[in-house]
Amino acid sequence: MKKIYTLFFLNLFSIILLAQTTPRDTVSPAKGNVDKQVNRIKKEDIIKHSDSHGNEPRKSSQIDSTKRDRYNDLLNDNPEFNKKYPVWKPALQVVGENVLLNVMDRTVLHLQFAKTDFTTWKRTTSAGFPWGPGWEWDQDRFGNNFLSHPMMGSFYFSAARSNGYNYWESAPIVFAGSYMWKIFGENGKPEREDLINTTFDGILLGEVLYRLSSNILDDRTTGRERVLREIFAGLVDPVRGFNRLLQGKSFRRTSQEVYQKEPLNITLYAGVHAVNNDTRRLFSGHNDEMLNAQLDYGNPFEDRQRKPFDLFRLRAELNFGVGRKIVDNITGYGILFGRNLRLGKLAMLIGGFQYYDYFDTKSFELSTIAFGGGLFSKLPLWKNSNLYTNLHLGLVPFAGSSVGHVSDTAQFRDYRFAYGMEGKIESTLNLGTFASIGLLYYYYIIHSFDNTGKDESHYGTLGTNYISILKPRITVQLYKDLSIGVEHNIYFNDHYQRNYPALHFVDTEQRIFLMLYLEDPQRRGHYD
C-alpha cells in the first residue's frame, strides 16, 4: 500500500511539474486535428487573458512572466526554433539584394547610374566618408529619396532579422547594405541623404514588417490555413518569406508557438476627401477617393519590461485622382524603451521613441526622421468611456521639406534638406462604442541647411519652415465595428527665408469616410 501511495504522489508531483514547464499552447497530433487544437487554445486565452475590463489582463499563476506577457504570448522569439545563423549569411544576402537590384536597373530599366565597373568603383571608393567632399546631396524626386530608399532599407534589415538577429544586431546590417550600394551599385557621386534615409527609416519599417509577419505566422498550423499564413506573411515581409523557404521553416511543424506576438488592432478607412480651392468654403475642391489603414501593435498600458517596437503605430493614407501623389502620407513610431506608471485611475507609459513621418500631399512635402520622448495616458471617465492622450516631442536630425505648394510633375528636387524639431498631440474621447471625438495636432520646426544643385527659383533659399497640421475628427457607430466619420484638416506652412519676404500658406481639407475597426479580442477598448 505504501508503494501505491508513493507511486501516486510521484505521478501527481510529475504532473504538476509538467504543467509548470510545458507551455499551455502545446498541441499534439495524437489529440486530434491540430488546427482545431490551436483554435481552442486561442479561445481559452481570450477568455482567461483579456484586458476587456481593465488596462491589462490580470496576473495569472499559470504564466511564467519571465518568458510570457499577460496575454500568454512569448516575450521573445523562442531561440530554440529561431536560431542565430552565422553573420556571413545575412551579409551574403545583402550583397545578393544589391547585385539583383543593380542588374534589374541596368538590364531591365536601362538606368544610366547603374552602369558600374572597376573604373566607377575606383572613383566611388575614393570618395571617403559620407560627410567628406566626395559625397553630395542629390536632386532626386521627393518620393524616391524618402519612401523608396526606406523600403529598400527594410529588406536589408529583414536579411538579418529573419536570420535570428535582434533589433539592435540587425541595425548595422542596414547601414552596411546602404553604404555598399552607394559605393558599388551606382556610378555617380555617392549621396548622403540616401545613406541616411535607407538606414534609419529602413530600420523602423523593417522591424514593423517583421513584427506584423510574426503575428500572421503560426508554425503549429497545417493544411490550407498554414499555406495562407505563409503566403500573407511573405507578402508583408518578402525577405523573411524567402528565408523561411531556405531555412525549411515554411514546412516545419512545431508543437508550440515560437514567435513573439502582441495584440494588434487594425482600423480601415474608405471615403472621399477634397482639398479646398477656397479655404473659406467647405468641399470647394475636387472630390477624390481615399483608402487608409492604421495598425496599433501592443498595449501601451500593460505593465512590463519594454524593448524596441513591442509597441508601435503605423498609419498609411492613399489618395486617388491626385496624379502621382497616391501615397499621401505614412506616419509611424515605435518604442525603444519605456516604463509604465499609475496615478489612481490614470494609466501612463513614458518612454523613448523612433519616428518616421512622410507627407507627399498636394499642399506640401515633408519627411522627418526623429527620436524623442513620448507619454501615453488613459483616463477612465465613466463606464466604457475613456480619454486617451499621446504626447510626443522629438529632435529631427534629418528632414526634407518643400517651401510651399509643390508640383506633381516636377522632375527636379523641389524641396530642401533640413533638420529641426517636432511635437505631436493625439487625443481621443471614446463614448463607449457609440461614438468618438478625436483631435490630432502636429507641429514641425524645420531649418534647411542645403540649397545646392538648382537655382533658387526652383525651391527657394535657405530658411525655416513652421508647419502645423490640425485634424479634428468625429465618428459615429453605424453597426457593430462599422462607423461613419468626418474629419476637417488644416495645414499651416509659414516659411521665413533669407533675402526674401516671408511666405504663408493655409490649406484646408474635408474627409467623409466609413471606418471599420478590427479589434483584437484580447485588447479591448478602442486604444486610439
Side-chain angles (χ1 to χ4, degrees), residues 8-228:
F8 173 79
F9 283 108
L10 284 175
N11 286 333
L12 180 61
F13 184 66
S14 64
I15 292 171
I16 294 173
L17 287 178
L18 285 172
Q20 291 177 334
T21 58
T22 303
R24 292 183 62 257
D25 60 3
T26 300
V27 299
S28 173
K31 296 180 180 179
N33 186 284
V34 172
D35 291 339
K36 289 183 178 180
Q37 292 182 55
V38 172
N39 291 331
R40 176 182 54 78
I41 291 169
K42 291 179 179 179
K43 289 179 181 179
E44 290 177 355
D45 280 340
I46 291 172
I47 296 172
K48 296 179 180 180
H49 312 292
S50 174
D51 61 358
S52 57
H53 300 294
N55 298 322
E56 57 184 344
R58 292 184 295 271
K59 290 183 178 180
S60 172
S61 59
Q62 296 176 322
I63 296 177
D64 181 356
S65 60
T66 64
K67 295 182 179 180
R68 294 173 177 267
D69 61 20
R70 294 195 185 182
Y71 295 98
N72 198 37
D73 292 322
L74 291 172
L75 293 171
N76 299 283
D77 290 350
N78 188 330
E80 180 181 350
F81 298 92
N82 298 279
K83 70 175 184 178
K84 182 187 294 185
Y85 290 85
V87 70
W88 64 263
K89 287 195 173 183
L92 182 62
Q93 186 165 10
V94 168
V95 172
E97 290 174 1
N98 280 337
V99 170
L100 179 61
L101 179 61
N102 178 267
V103 171
M104 291 289 292
D105 287 344
R106 183 199 297 240
T107 61
V108 179
L109 301 178
H110 303 290
L111 298 176
Q112 184 64 34
F113 69 78
K115 296 179 179 180
T116 59
D117 52 33
F118 288 105
T119 302
T120 65
W121 292 343
K122 182 179 179 180
R123 182 174 64 252
T124 53
T125 52
S126 63
F129 295 105
W131 54 85
W135 288 63
E136 66 178 5
W137 303 103
D138 74 14
Q139 306 303 314
D140 289 350
R141 285 175 54 85
F142 183 78
N144 184 61
N145 274 337
F146 293 94
L147 182 58
S148 298
H149 285 291
M151 292 174 63
M152 190 63 198
S154 71
F155 294 162
Y156 299 145
F157 183 90
S158 185
R161 196 71 168 90
S162 58
N163 272 290
Y165 293 80
N166 64 27
Y167 172 88
W168 298 111
E169 294 167 338
S170 302
I173 295 289
V174 187
F175 176 83
S178 179
Y179 191 87
M180 175 195 170
W181 174 258
K182 289 290 98 182
I183 300 300
F184 298 104
E186 300 178 354
N187 56 32
K189 276 190 173 183
E191 300 101 351
R192 300 181 183 94
E193 78 289 333
D194 291 352
L195 185 65
I196 297 170
N197 289 327
T198 303
T199 300
F200 290 101
D201 291 337
I203 291 171
L204 183 147
L205 292 178
E207 182 66 12
V208 165
L209 296 179
Y210 181 85
R211 295 298 191 106
L212 293 176
S213 62
S214 287
N215 266 37
I216 298 172
L217 293 169
D218 193 334
D219 289 3
R220 298 171 297 176
T221 56
T222 60
R224 185 176 68 173
E225 179 179 348
R226 178 61 178 272
V227 172
L228 292 176

Side-chain angles (χ1 to χ4, degrees), residues 311-332:
L311 170 76
F312 69 75
R313 168 176 288 184
L314 184 70
R315 181 182 176 97
E317 301 192 0
L318 305 179
N319 291 332
F320 305 94
V322 291
R324 286 192 295 187
K325 293 182 177 293
I326 295 177
V327 182
D328 185 273
N329 69 81
I330 298 176
T331 59

Side-chain angles (χ1 to χ4, degrees), residues 130-131 136-138 146 192-194 196-197 367 369 396-401 413 415-420 445-453 459-465 495-496 498:
W131 54 85
E136 66 178 5
W137 303 103
D138 74 14
F146 293 94
R192 300 181 183 94
E193 78 289 333
D194 291 352
I196 297 170
N197 289 327
S367 185
I369 297 170
V396 179
F398 187 70
S401 175
R413 174 156 66 93
Y415 57 92
R416 294 148 320 148
F417 298 116
Y419 62 90
I445 302 176
I446 306 297
H447 182 74
S448 61
F449 62 79
D450 175 73
N451 198 43
T452 59
Y459 51 89
T461 63
L462 297 179
T464 302
N465 276 21
H495 176 65
Y496 298 89
R498 188 181 304 171

Side-chain angles (χ1 to χ4, degrees), residues 290-306:
M290 69 172 197
L291 181 64
N292 308 334
Q294 178 174 306
L295 308 176
D296 290 287
Y297 177 92
N299 181 355
F301 308 113
E302 181 188 4
D303 192 0
R304 58 183 286 184
Q305 294 287 331
R306 300 283 176 177

